[in-house]
Amino acid sequence: MSEHKWFETVAIAQERARRRLPPSVYKALLAGTEKGVTYQANMSSFGDIGLAPHVVGQPAERDLATRVLGQDVSMPVIISPTGVQAVHPDGEVAVARAAAARGVAMGLSSFASKPVEEVVAANPQTLFQMYWMGDRDSMARRMERARAAGAVGLIATTDWSFSNGRDWGSPAIPQKMDLKTILRRAPEGLRRPSWLLEYARTGRPPGLLAPNLVEGDEPAPGFFDAYFQWMQTPPPTWDDIAWMREQWGGTFVLKGVTRVDDAKRAVDAGVSAISVSNHGGNNLDSTPAAIRCLPAVADAVGDQVEVLMDGGVRRGSDVVKALALGARAVLIGRAYLWGLGAGGQAGVENVLDVLRGGIDATLMGLGRASVHDLVRDDVLLPEGFVQTLGAGASARNLHATSA
């Protein structure tokens, strides 16, 4: 990326993405349910955490490398799976290449716009993500396809409902990009000529299909067809999660945990890791920020499974704070999407470099030589910061009743 295109913060990447993307595409990335309380809290809560720096004797070099989900990575940051990355023609393949170039593992959504085979080829450290949708036979076939493609792990996402709209309005997402839709949206695209030119060079409109949900010789379903199938599937039970884990047979992440009792049930189901997450504020609004739920969950099960966290990470110091509070690594979503929208693969690499630089600088300030040296005393938490969900008597009774 040339010097004039380089950005020094994720906030600048977001602003460049806003100027470059059609307004409806940008607003779709900005999504958060209802009033956006949780979406905003995910980010603002990091600012409530203080740091306790040293001023003399800091290590001259810092080691950011770690091992998470069975993968050796250059830093404790993982690409979180996000669906239909039509902000750039190369979509998830561009993100996978950027992640591979920076030594980072890639999470691929089952609602992605690129097939799992292409993404794994671009980044062998790819984990495939699935929702509980359809019947068990179809889910088993999806898992087998991901396994055959070389996916190194499975992420089961359970923190998404889309049951409510946004108070400030949501952009209308088309069912498909047919000629009528293209003509209707042409004025919006013409306002962003550089973005439009990228797609014009490919000879095809933005893809709104989900190729990883193909069944046999059928054509790939559209995003809303897949969404409808998900809505028609009854939510999973803990027995269903245990079945998924057993069916997969390898590294298995349960994403969407905020409660201690759920974390313990996840351990009972045999998961390899959990991600403390509220789907980036896209699930049940007024759920506490993920970083506030992390310490209690990590204290409860961190000695039994790997604990990850996602939601609101925009800086390297955010990553360090999460690690100090018990996370093995963090997953990022909108942060890399802003990079993808601002500059494709190079933009994603830029975002990862920004985070790496911030992690390194924060470790130095704290006097820590490695991400593995971080402890709870490295951060300062205001009174009442930690939100412990599902650890009271009522939660224990619920656990006993549902067991």
Side-chain angles (χ1 to χ4, degrees), residues 160-382:
W160 184 42
S161 70
F162 268 2
S163 57
N164 296 284
R166 285 184 283 164
D167 289 5
W168 62 89
S170 299
I173 301 174
Q175 292 276 5
K176 57 182 177 179
M177 291 300 291
D178 54 16
L179 180 59
K180 181 179 179 180
T181 302
I182 292 172
L183 292 175
R184 186 172 66 249
R185 291 179 173 266
E188 184 182 11
L190 291 172
R191 292 167 57 188
R192 300 292 189 266
S194 61
W195 182 85
L196 190 62
L197 181 59
E198 275 189 337
Y199 273 101
R201 286 170 177 162
T202 69
R204 63 184 187 276
L208 295 177
L209 303 178
N212 294 304
L213 298 176
V214 170
E215 288 283 346
D217 296 329
E218 297 177 1
F223 173 84
F224 283 99
D225 293 329
Y227 175 60
F228 180 77
Q229 183 185 19
W230 168 77
M231 286 194 68
Q232 298 305 304
T233 305
T237 65
W238 284 109
D239 286 342
D240 292 327
I241 297 300
W243 173 84
M244 286 186 78
R245 189 271 308 162
E246 184 177 359
Q247 188 73 29
W248 176 252
T251 299
F252 185 94
V253 185
L254 182 67
K255 183 176 181 293
V257 176
T258 56
R259 297 172 58 105
V260 169
D261 51 351
D262 282 348
K264 292 178 178 179
R265 291 300 298 268
V267 172
D268 292 342
V271 306
S272 310
I274 59 175
S275 181
V276 177
S277 168
N278 50 47
H279 211 87
N282 270 309
N283 191 26
L284 185 63
D285 201 24
S286 296
T287 301
I291 189 66
R292 291 180 181 268
C293 298
L294 171 64
V297 172
D299 288 346
V301 301
D303 60 342
Q304 301 172 75
V305 295
E306 292 184 348
V307 176
L308 314 176
M309 182 241 123
D310 70 89
V313 174
R314 299 293 186 272
R315 300 167 183 82
S317 60
D318 296 342
V319 179
V320 170
K321 291 172 181 179
L323 267 59
L325 292 177
R328 180 73 175 181
V330 304
L331 294 92
I332 59 169
R334 289 184 182 88
Y336 77 80
L337 289 175
W338 301 137
L340 182 65
Q345 177 181 338
V348 179
E349 291 176 2
N350 193 155
V351 164
L352 293 172
D353 289 343
V354 166
L355 293 178
R356 182 177 183 84
I359 295 170
D360 184 68
T362 308
L363 285 178
M364 182 178 182
L366 293 174
R368 299 300 183 186
S370 166
V371 292
H372 298 289
D373 296 338
L374 291 164
V375 295
R376 194 72 57 92
D377 286 346
D378 289 323
V379 296
L380 306 173
L381 302 181

Side-chain angles (χ1 to χ4, degrees), residues 75-128:
M75 60 178 172
V77 174
I78 300 169
I79 297 295
S80 187
T82 62
V84 191
Q85 294 175 13
V87 300
H88 188 276
D90 293 335
E92 294 84 0
V93 172
V95 176
R97 289 171 178 159
R102 295 300 185 264
V104 170
M106 168 81 182
L108 177 70
S109 172
S110 55
F111 281 20
S113 64
K114 301 295 182 183
V116 61
E117 293 81 5
E118 291 184 18
V119 175
V120 172
N123 188 338
Q125 291 183 302
T126 293
L127 298 99
F128 186 66

Side-chain angles (χ1 to χ4, degrees), residues 391-403:
S394 61
R396 289 194 295 271
N397 292 337
L398 175 63
H399 179 96
T401 301
S402 60

Side-chain angles (χ1 to χ4, degrees), residues 58-72:
Q58 294 97 329
E61 296 181 357
R62 280 75 55 194
D63 183 10
L64 276 61
T66 190
R67 184 171 178 82
V68 60
L69 304 179
Q71 302 300 304
D72 293 318

